[in-house]
Amino acid sequence: MKLRSYATLVQDISLKTRQEMFELLAACYHNVFWEQFQRDLAEKKWTIIIEDSETHALKGFSTLKVFLHDFQGEKSRLAFSGDTIISPSCWGSLRLPMAFGKLMLHVLSERPNIPLYWMLITKGIRTYRVLPVFFKKFYPRHDEKTPVKIRQMMKSLGHGCFPQQYDDEIGIIRAGADSQSLRREFSGEEDLQLRDDGHVRHFLRANPGHIKGDELLCLAEFSLGNLCPYIIRQLEKADDVEILRNDNQLSGV
């Protein structure tokens, strides 16, 4: 199957594509509701779309919000990933991570003098495993204690974005009664737990309630100096990822 990947502004997504996104998400998660999906989508700036290049059937997507954060007198930009899913038929494809990387490079280029961080909240091991693939430094992690400044910044973001749910003692956004939870058959957890992988063990220790929808708040600086060499090489080759936007419509921050 040949895949096409592109990033586009949320406001430019058709109703048909929105419905396909919702259906794919609902097939992989419990507690997915159309009204909530629409509200969450409206809060985001960008959507990454992965589709079959011949049939145009949706195979995956991710959403991204970019906002300014003032912490201890220093301004930074935060890219916050929302709903993200890839069809099991495309597991192993680099299309989604490469499209994400290309979009993040685009966002970075808009204001290169302000530090850019990726803020990830995740209830899935597969998603958490993206961090060590992409970044030299990210937190929390199994082999290094989170620096005090980064830990304080994570607490500031957690309380600011999820004031009713964030537990700053353990860095978890607690699931509510109607929170989404990944369907077990799509988690890939059993296969990953068989590996001797410190990152998998750390995620399971840090977020034991992930099955019910608890999410681990993670942070990584998105900069060329913090990207792993393998990812830089792959991004240099991924020249077919399209960034669709009006030239007058940037990320806004």
Side-chain angles (χ1 to χ4, degrees):
M1 181 194 309
K2 189 174 181 180
L3 298 173
R4 177 198 179 203
S5 55
Y6 63 93
T8 187
L9 295 168
V10 165
Q11 66 190 42
D12 295 334
I13 303 171
S14 68
L15 177 59
K16 177 178 179 294
T17 299
R18 290 170 185 257
Q19 290 171 331
E20 290 177 335
M21 292 165 64
F22 173 77
E23 289 168 5
L24 179 59
L25 194 68
C28 298
Y29 283 86
H30 298 287
N31 292 333
V32 178
F33 305 103
W34 175 251
E35 293 78 10
Q36 182 63 51
F37 170 76
Q38 287 281 66
R39 284 196 298 271
D40 289 346
L41 191 59
E43 294 175 355
K44 307 302 187 294
K45 185 73 175 182
W46 292 97
T47 300
I48 297 168
I49 299 292
I50 310 297
E51 65 180 22
D52 186 308
S53 59
E54 293 184 1
T55 67
H56 302 292
L58 184 76
K59 294 298 179 181
F61 73 90
S62 184
T63 61
L64 195 73
K65 175 182 179 180
V66 183
F67 62 96
L68 278 173
H69 183 64
D70 194 334
F71 175 68
Q72 296 181 352
E74 297 179 8
K75 278 188 170 39
S76 57
R77 300 169 78 212
L78 272 293
F80 170 50
S81 289
D83 290 334
T84 301
I85 195 69
I86 187 78
S87 170
S89 65
C90 298
W91 283 0
S93 168
L94 290 176
R95 276 291 177 174
L96 185 56
M98 288 302 100
F100 164 77
K102 283 289 192 177
L103 177 57
M104 288 291 286
L105 287 173
H106 171 76
V107 173
L108 179 64
S109 72
E110 291 177 348
R111 300 186 72 174
N113 296 324
I114 301 179
L116 175 65
Y117 290 86
W118 184 33
M119 175 181 163
L120 171 70
I121 63 171
T122 178
K123 59 177 76 70
I125 298 174
R126 294 174 63 87
T127 304
Y128 179 77
R129 283 293 286 114
V130 171
L131 289 164
V133 173
F134 255 82
F135 302 104
K136 298 173 184 176
K137 295 285 186 180
F138 63 90
Y139 302 98
R141 57 188 297 151
H142 75 97
D143 54 358
E144 183 181 344
K145 189 174 180 179
T146 303
V148 172
K149 184 176 180 180
I150 295 295
R151 187 168 67 249
Q152 291 173 342
M153 185 176 179
M154 292 167 75
K155 287 184 177 182
S156 171
L157 288 165
H159 285 299
C161 297
F162 310 97
Q164 305 301 319
Q165 299 168 273
Y166 184 64
D167 184 337
D168 63 18
E169 291 297 318
I170 55 176
I172 293 292
I173 296 111
R174 297 291 189 187
D178 59 351
S179 295
Q180 293 178 6
S181 58
L182 187 61
R183 296 181 187 273
R184 195 64 179 262
E185 62 268 29
F186 296 114
S187 71
E189 184 172 327
E190 288 78 7
D191 292 338
L192 287 169
Q193 287 190 57
L194 293 175
R195 303 180 188 178
D196 184 19
D197 188 319
H199 298 298
V200 171
R201 292 195 300 272
H202 178 78
F203 178 82
L204 293 174
R205 285 196 304 269
N207 189 9
H210 66 283
I211 292 297
K212 66 179 182 181
D214 286 355
E215 299 186 278
L216 181 67
L217 192 152
C218 308
L219 199 63
E221 183 175 5
F222 194 97
S223 65
L224 292 178
N226 195 35
L227 290 176
C228 295
Y230 168 78
I231 290 298
I232 292 176
R233 292 195 300 271
Q234 293 301 315
L235 288 173
E236 288 172 346
K237 294 189 293 185
D239 55 3
D240 59 345
V241 177
E242 303 165 75
I243 307 293
L244 307 179
R245 64 167 174 80
N246 182 304
D247 286 339
N248 296 320
Q249 295 172 309
L250 303 183
S251 294
V253 292

